[in-house]
Amino acid sequence: MSARRDGTPPPGAETVRFIDERVGASPLLKQAMRYVFPDHWSFMLGEIALYAFVVLIGTGTFLALFFQSSTEETTYHGSYAPLLGARTSIAYASAVRLSLDVPAGLLMRQTHHWAALVFVAAITVHLMRVFFTGAFRKPRDLNWAVGVTMLMLSVLEGFFGYSLPDDLLSGMGLAIAYGVAMSVPVIGGNLAFLFWGGEYPGVHELASRMLILHVWILPAAIGTLIAVHLAQVMRQHHSQFPGPGRTERNVVGTPLWPAYALRSLGLLLAVAAVLFLLGGLVQINPIWQYGPYEPWLSTNGAQPDWYLGWLIGGLRIMPPLEIRFWGRTWIPNPFWGGAFFPLVVFGTLYAIPWLDRRLTRDHGRHELLDRPRDNPQRTALGMGFFAWVAFVFFGGSADRVLIRFGFPYEAQIWVARFAIFVVPVVVYLVTLRICRELRRSEQHPLRGWSGRRVRRTESGAFATVAPSEEDRAGP
Amino acid sequence: MSPWRVIVAAVLLALRGGRRGAAPPPPVDPRERELPGRGEHARRAELLTAALLALGGLAGIGFFVVYLLGPGHLTQWLGLALGLALALLAAALIVAGKAVVPQEVAVEERAQLVDEQAEREVAELAAAGAEGVTRRRLLAGAAGVAGVGVGAALVTPIASLGPNVSQRIDETPWRRGVRVVDERGRAILADDVVQGTFVTGFPEGASLRDLASPIVIVRLPPATIHLPRGRDPATWAPEGLLAYSKICTHAGCAIGLYRYPSFRPTQPRPALVCPCHYSTFDPARGAAVIFGPAGRPLPQLPLAIDPATRELRANGGYSGSIGPAWLNVDRGSA
Amino acid sequence: MRRALPALAAALALALGTAALAGRPALARAAVAPIGPPPVDGPALYEAACASCHGFDGRGVHDQGPSLLGAGARAADFYLRTGRMPLANPHDAPVRTPPQFTDAQIRALTAYVASLGGPAAPPIPRVDPAAGTLAAGRSAFTDHCAGCHQVLARGGIVTGAIAPPLREATPTEIAEAVRIGPYLMPRFTTRQIDQSTLNSIVRYVEWAAHRPSNAGGWGIGNIGPIPEGMVAWLIGIAALLIVIRLIGERSPQ
């Protein structure tokens, strides 16, 4: 289309020829450049996660060039006065040095940590969009499973990441992870011993294990799954909302080149911008203030990063139930809140495409999305499920609620124990009702209308007309 | 109006708000392509893009300059400079992507994915790979044996990561006669532990980091102490001194909180509390759980007071397993 | 079902409201309303404001208030200066409030309470933060105090009470609290926290509560991952949602 009138080849033709002679990529490039992306804003949530991952890789590489993971002891002699002379692990000392003594070190470290929080948050919002629009249905059910797996791996990746510096806060979290691992029925003791190399606090190699998991194994796994995820999206083409010209057999939107590529690149830069602004301006995980971890020390107000908050909620809300008989503890308490609860949540997430097929009895292929209101049952059940997880999550911050608002801690826990079952049901019913109301009001815009019908008489005046049957119809 | 209708109405208004009464958008021919042209709008967009790019570049140079200015708490300026540079660039690209380059609504046919003929051919090709093979079941069985064997071999090195959990987990550095010392190795005397204070102690000569090492020692009025059956106060609470493992029996955090009333009639009873999930233990009653998710009391360590030096020593091992529970942990009391 | 929902909501609200009220510490109110210039007579003040719970001879009243014999100037000064005493209801949690008495009155009351305990009654402790070090203070504070008060003295909770943040505590008040163990706080003698360590702890608390090293920027309260998570969602994700709303379309065109 931009061929010149005088027939000379367009600019860049030589470059394309260069590549084509060696790789023969022109048909592929042509297909790629004309690839159509539907334009709805909510389809970019996955991209936010992807670009946060890119920032994580970039900043993480920088950090890996400075951080030493060893748990051998050293004496701190850096620039932070309250730590002078303290006995810490080399891991902790190197993380503090990276934060306070390496130029741009703190910027990179904080950006990395903010990116991790935003990464999992973006995945969560993206997951909810995919769920509430029914985009997980065939042929995308396989991709849904890939996505849920990535969510799980990302949570693990983040946990290992913030546990590497061996500070007081994350050390407490590792101890709890040990307690949860031990609590797995029957095999828990062996499971914990396997990873920790023995009894807590474990062998020195634990630091190497966490480092390798965080720097190589998990990023490679997540990266591979991202590639599989994107490959499927491209093969199947993105789904789209119903609208003018849109059918189950086509995609309507913006081609990749030039508009979408520029916008997407712009989004990458915007994500990086937000993360670097946060990384420079808002403090996160100030490990130098927490001090080094020792198993006999603890601090009040210790919390995991937000994406593990649902687990601390589970652990705090759970009553002191342990299954013990024949002289053995078959199910220790931390299992319920720390392992069983996430098992149920992730199990449910994985089962969603299958559950949806069972409940809607619809085994067909879907390329057009539902608006959330178009499937009230799915939307309501989903809201109820997320409300359940959210309320367990909130139960984990009852101590701050006490400090801020004065509600006694024990009372909050007791209310939470009932609320987490009652509230999802209420949310389900309210959501169902709202979806149905929205749909009915679209189909019958004048439903439940209250007012007066008037008719113009021949003389030009207005006269009230008696309300008809339709007008009298209410909700 | 029922409160129910108020809630529903509020949510509906929030969701549909601005669009009430607006006419639906006219159907658009999806094959339309919009060239920016020479209109005022497009020229402005081009200028804006150029300006944003230039400013972004300047901000990038600003980052370089700030970095060169040297050490100190420059993180905020570095972040501001880099963040602004990226934000300006992002804005430039987005403006370009929406208002400078040609905008087009294109239509593409989806791949139908299912190709029935090819499917059949693939299946036939796959099956043809086994043509002429006779002892299928034998080969399949042998392959199964191979898979299990080699698979097991590949997975087995994982066992090198750690030992089997064994009775070793119940061995602790505490035994009768071991002196109780503080973090620096100085002996803790009975008179150091007054009523209302709580002291962290360790076994002399042992690693501080062993989960079984740290204990908390408190003193309570002997009349208020009611230990579980089988624990003689002479050995388990001499002079009202009580020692318990400092590691919470829920998930392994250190019990760093001690609640001690200054006036018993109006204030809660003494309690050892864990800051992680607020498991609360009653030291007067053998550290029984009085609130929170912990499933069993803290193991108690019997104490002895050296008559000559008044040093505290252990008078035996713990009353039960320390730390988080696992399969082989039983009730753990006495 | 429609009719059950409002009732359910009301029940939930009632439960929460009762729980809230149950935990609220009532504000202390002075039992005496001075007319004219405030009296500075120690015994008279004591009789008017304190004797109903602590006894006319300071021996305490069963179920109302503890004995003050031996409490000394140290305890009186602490409780009065932080406004924790006088306490209207003995079952309330004594929390920091503006002091009920003037400085002169507090000194008079303190002298009187000190006299009740004889020569052995503990005086107001001296503390010299400048003589301590931040490093020793951080270490000792983490060992003994962070479990309740949080590693940066931002406060926390224990089952049944709040361990307050230490922002408003003066060096003397900190020293007094460490030695007394007021309300539900444990106490620490010189065997555990000697004078030098106490100096360091006070220095550390002053530093942590007012000028901690927030090299990373806005400290968002210095209480850890909860505000961090809120920023990630309410600033990070919110900003990016705005960006993609600007980039993308709102409804199919």
Side-chain angles (χ1 to χ4, degrees):
Chain A
M1 281 222 194
S2 47
R4 297 175 180 184
R5 278 206 205 100
D6 59 359
T8 57
E14 281 182 26
T15 319
V16 179
R17 166 62 59 92
F18 181 88
I19 298 173
D20 215 26
E21 278 177 332
R22 288 149 184 76
V23 185
S26 290
L28 196 65
L29 282 173
K30 178 181 167 202
Q31 202 183 13
M33 289 164 84
R34 293 301 303 166
Y35 183 89
V36 171
F37 289 86
D39 277 323
H40 197 263
W41 62 269
S42 70
F43 298 163
M44 298 180 138
L45 292 167
E47 277 177 61
I48 297 179
L50 174 66
Y51 296 145
F53 186 73
V54 171
V55 173
L56 281 169
I57 298 284
T59 51
T61 305
F62 179 91
L63 296 178
L65 297 172
F66 289 90
F67 177 71
Q68 297 168 267
S69 66
S70 166
T71 51
E72 300 286 346
E73 267 206 351
T74 181
T75 309
Y76 179 81
H77 285 303
S79 62
Y80 185 64
L83 280 175
L84 276 176
R87 299 288 292 163
T88 78
S89 62
I90 288 182
Y92 181 74
S94 88
V96 172
R97 189 171 28 251
L98 169 62
S99 303
L100 299 180
D101 298 322
V102 170
L106 189 57
L107 176 67
M108 291 297 172
R109 215 195 119 232
Q110 298 203 146
T111 304
H112 190 74
H113 205 134
W114 284 119
L117 300 194
V118 168
F119 178 50
V120 184
I123 294 178
T124 307
V125 185
H126 171 65
L127 177 148
M128 290 171 93
R129 194 285 294 170
V130 169
F131 172 77
F132 285 115
T133 55
F136 57 85
R137 293 174 294 178
K138 187 161 82 171
R140 294 174 181 80
D141 40 9
L142 218 57
N143 221 10
W144 168 265
V146 171
V148 173
T149 309
M150 285 197 285
L151 174 61
M152 195 165 58
L153 292 179
S154 307
V155 168
L156 267 177
E157 169 78 345
F159 173 70
F160 288 131
Y162 75 74
S163 299
L164 282 172
D166 193 33
D167 57 289
L168 182 58
L169 208 64
S170 65
M172 290 169 72
L174 262 183
I176 296 173
Y178 176 80
V180 171
M182 293 277 272
S183 77
V184 173
V186 182
I187 61 168
N190 276 313
L191 200 64
F193 265 47
L194 202 65
F195 189 70
W196 266 266
E199 198 186 351
Y200 190 86
V203 293
H204 286 294
E205 289 86 337
L206 177 70
S208 307
R209 289 172 194 182
M210 290 201 300
L211 183 72
I212 287 302
L213 274 165
H214 182 76
V215 159
W216 160 231
I217 298 178
L218 286 174
I222 296 175
T224 310
L225 288 177
I226 289 180
V228 170
H229 200 70
L230 292 178
Q232 284 194 71
V233 171
M234 290 195 288
R235 178 79 179 104
Q236 295 157 350
H237 270 86
H238 204 283
S239 49
Q240 61 190 349
F241 284 107
R246 287 150 172 85
T247 69
E248 286 274 356
R249 302 180 82 86
N250 70 4
V251 197
V252 177
T254 305
L256 173 63
W257 184 259
Y260 200 86
L262 286 175
R263 295 182 208 164
S264 200
L265 214 56
L267 181 60
L268 163 61
L269 294 171
V271 169
V274 168
L275 293 176
F276 274 103
L277 281 171
L278 283 175
L281 299 175
V282 187
Q283 185 169 269
I284 182 171
N285 194 230
I287 51 167
W288 59 94
Q289 292 178 346
Y290 298 146
Y293 172 72
E294 297 289 359
W296 67 86
L297 295 177
S298 57
T299 172
N300 209 290
Q303 290 271 348
D305 276 3
W306 83 262
Y307 46 81
L308 284 167
W310 53 311
L311 294 190
I312 193 178
L315 287 169
R316 283 185 174 184
I317 293 177
M318 188 65 202
L321 172 69
E322 292 197 330
I323 308 290
R324 226 185 323 250
F325 52 86
W326 298 339
R328 289 176 194 269
T329 307
W330 298 94
I331 306 185
N333 185 275
F335 174 71
W336 306 112
F340 184 64
F341 174 55
L343 205 70
V344 168
V345 170
F346 273 102
T348 308
L349 286 176
Y350 276 113
I352 279 176
W354 176 82
L355 278 171
D356 188 81
R357 277 198 292 270
R358 283 289 300 255
L359 290 173
T360 61
R361 279 179 279 264
D362 179 356
H363 295 258
R365 171 183 171 175
H366 291 275
E367 308 288 349
L368 288 176
L369 298 171
D370 291 334
R371 292 171 310 166
R373 72 190 67 172
D374 291 328
N375 193 328
Q377 280 291 348
R378 176 199 300 141
T379 303
L381 280 171
M383 287 293 287
F385 176 73
F386 290 125
W388 177 57
V389 178
F391 261 73
V392 174
F393 179 92
F394 293 141
S397 55
D399 53 331
R400 298 313 307 181
V401 173
L402 165 58
I403 292 177
R404 193 92 173 74
F405 300 111
F407 293 119
Y409 184 82
E410 297 94 313
Q412 286 186 63
I413 295 297
W414 273 108
V415 167
R417 286 170 179 167
F418 293 105
I420 60 168
F421 295 111
V422 168
V423 169
V425 175
V426 172
V427 168
Y428 167 80
L429 292 168
V430 170
T431 311
L432 199 61
R433 187 56 194 268
I434 291 173
C435 286
R436 290 194 176 137
E437 283 289 331
L438 283 171
R439 297 185 72 200
R440 275 191 224 133
S441 71
E442 274 178 349
Q443 288 157 12
H444 306 284
L446 290 179
R447 214 170 117 263
W449 161 85
S450 66
R452 267 190 280 176
R453 263 190 200 280
V454 292
R455 178 177 57 86
R456 195 120 196 237
T457 62
E458 276 150 14
S459 58
F462 288 99
T464 311
V465 173
S468 72
E469 269 309 311
E470 212 180 74
D471 296 340
R472 270 197 286 265
Chain B
M1 242 192 160
S2 80
W4 177 240
R5 294 187 82 177
V6 173
I7 297 173
V8 173
V11 176
L12 288 179
L13 259 177
L15 284 175
R16 300 193 58 234
R19 284 186 275 129
R20 281 169 96 222
V28 160
D29 178 0
R31 280 175 195 73
E32 241 176 56
R33 178 184 162 84
E34 190 187 298
L35 286 172
R38 287 187 178 30
E40 213 19 67
H41 179 73
R43 274 178 30 85
R44 264 209 304 260
E46 287 174 9
L47 283 172
L48 183 60
T49 305
L52 288 169
L53 285 170
L55 282 172
L58 281 175
I61 293 174
F63 176 90
F64 178 68
V65 168
V66 172
Y67 184 96
L68 282 183
L69 282 179
H73 285 182
L74 287 177
T75 308
Q76 281 75 69
W77 291 110
L78 288 173
L80 205 57
L82 187 56
L84 269 179
L86 291 166
L88 290 165
L89 240 59
L93 286 175
I94 291 171
V95 168
K98 286 192 73 95
V100 172
V101 294
Q103 300 297 305
E104 182 181 349
V105 178
V107 184
E108 227 184 333
E109 292 299 310
R110 284 184 191 276
Q112 279 319 297
L113 299 178
V114 173
D115 180 339
E116 286 182 10
Q117 180 174 0
E119 257 178 56
R120 243 178 296 124
E121 286 174 7
V122 166
E124 281 167 15
L125 271 171
E131 243 178 71
V133 176
T134 50
R135 298 190 180 83
R136 290 186 196 215
R137 248 187 276 155
L138 173 65
L139 283 169
V145 170
V148 167
V150 177
L154 287 174
V155 166
T156 302
I158 290 180
S160 308
L161 283 174
N164 239 345
V165 61
S166 62
Q167 295 311 112
R168 265 196 322 126
I169 203 176
D170 275 331
E171 282 175 19
T172 79
W174 291 104
R175 45 187 52 77
R176 174 165 289 136
V178 171
R179 253 188 350 164
V180 181
V181 298
D182 66 7
E183 212 180 305
R184 287 189 196 83
R186 298 178 308 202
I188 296 178
L189 307 181
D191 306 307
D192 291 347
V193 188
V194 303
Q195 270 192 33
T197 196
F198 84 121
V199 177
T200 301
F202 300 90
E204 188 176 30
S207 162
L208 302 182
R209 296 208 174 98
D210 190 334
L211 217 54
S213 282
I215 56 171
V216 279
I217 313 161
V218 298
R219 183 193 289 263
L220 294 176
T224 61
I225 299 176
H226 303 283
L227 296 177
R229 223 167 343 133
R231 289 190 212 170
D232 174 19
T235 40
W236 293 88
E239 294 184 15
L241 286 168
L242 300 148
Y244 297 99
S245 165
K246 196 175 182 183
I247 303 300
C248 185
T249 50
H250 180 235
C253 296
I255 293 184
L257 286 71
Y258 185 49
R259 177 184 85 188
Y260 189 82
S262 45
F263 186 54
R264 191 65 194 86
T266 57
Q267 294 170 6
R269 58 191 309 116
L272 293 161
V273 186
C274 179
C276 286
H277 313 107
Y278 296 103
S279 295
T280 310
F281 304 91
D282 187 348
R285 289 202 282 245
V289 181
I290 53 183
F291 176 77
R296 71 184 201 285
L298 294 174
Q300 188 173 2
L301 189 73
L303 289 174
I305 306 173
D306 187 308
T309 59
R310 299 284 294 165
E311 286 168 353
L312 283 176
R313 292 175 187 275
N315 207 353
Y318 284 110
S319 64
S321 306
I322 59 109
W326 59 286
L327 183 69
N328 280 358
V329 166
D330 64 7
R331 189 84 187 98
S333 58
Chain C
M1 190 32 107
R2 215 188 288 178
R3 266 181 240 124
L5 279 171
L8 208 61
L12 206 64
L14 196 68
L16 287 170
T18 316
L21 289 171
R24 269 265 134 84
L27 276 176
R29 266 194 314 258
V32 58
I35 334 159
V40 198
D41 180 355
L45 283 169
Y46 177 86
E47 209 173 292
C50 322
S52 54
C53 293
H54 288 290
F56 284 87
D57 47 1
R59 289 182 189 279
V61 175
H62 176 60
D63 278 2
Q64 297 287 306
S67 157
L68 296 182
L69 307 178
R74 180 175 73 188
D77 184 68
F78 174 78
Y79 279 103
L80 291 170
R81 285 209 187 276
T82 60
R84 288 186 158 87
M85 289 288 153
L87 193 60
N89 182 337
H91 292 274
D92 289 337
V95 294
R96 178 183 280 269
T97 66
Q100 306 296 311
F101 297 109
T102 67
D103 189 62
Q105 289 177 313
I106 290 177
R107 274 184 271 123
L109 270 171
T110 304
Y112 176 69
V113 171
S115 73
L116 292 175
I124 296 175
R126 294 187 185 287
V127 67
D128 182 11
T133 65
L134 283 177
R138 184 204 60 82
S139 173
F141 189 84
T142 308
D143 275 346
H144 301 292
C145 324
C148 292
H149 287 285
Q150 198 254 359
V151 69
L152 282 170
R154 288 291 183 275
I157 74 157
V158 70
T159 329
I162 295 176
L166 301 179
R167 192 183 193 90
E168 296 169 85
T170 67
T172 309
E173 286 164 9
I174 297 170
E176 288 168 338
V178 167
R179 297 288 183 225
I180 301 167
Y183 189 41
L184 293 172
M185 178 174 155
R187 64 187 176 108
F188 301 92
T189 64
T190 48
R191 288 290 303 170
Q192 278 191 278
I193 299 181
D194 60 18
Q195 186 58 39
S196 154
T197 310
L198 186 57
N199 289 336
S200 294
I201 287 181
V202 171
R203 180 164 176 183
Y204 175 78
V205 171
E206 296 293 288
W207 172 90
H210 297 111
R211 286 170 288 111
S213 169
N214 284 342
W218 179 26
I220 39 175
N222 287 103
I223 53 171
I226 291 183
E228 290 166 6
M230 290 169 72
V231 166
W233 277 90
L234 300 177
I235 297 182
I237 291 289
L240 292 171
L241 280 177
I242 292 174
V243 169
I244 61 175
R245 278 287 282 226
L246 290 171
I247 297 179
E249 300 297 331
R250 242 163 271 187
S251 50
Q253 288 305 311

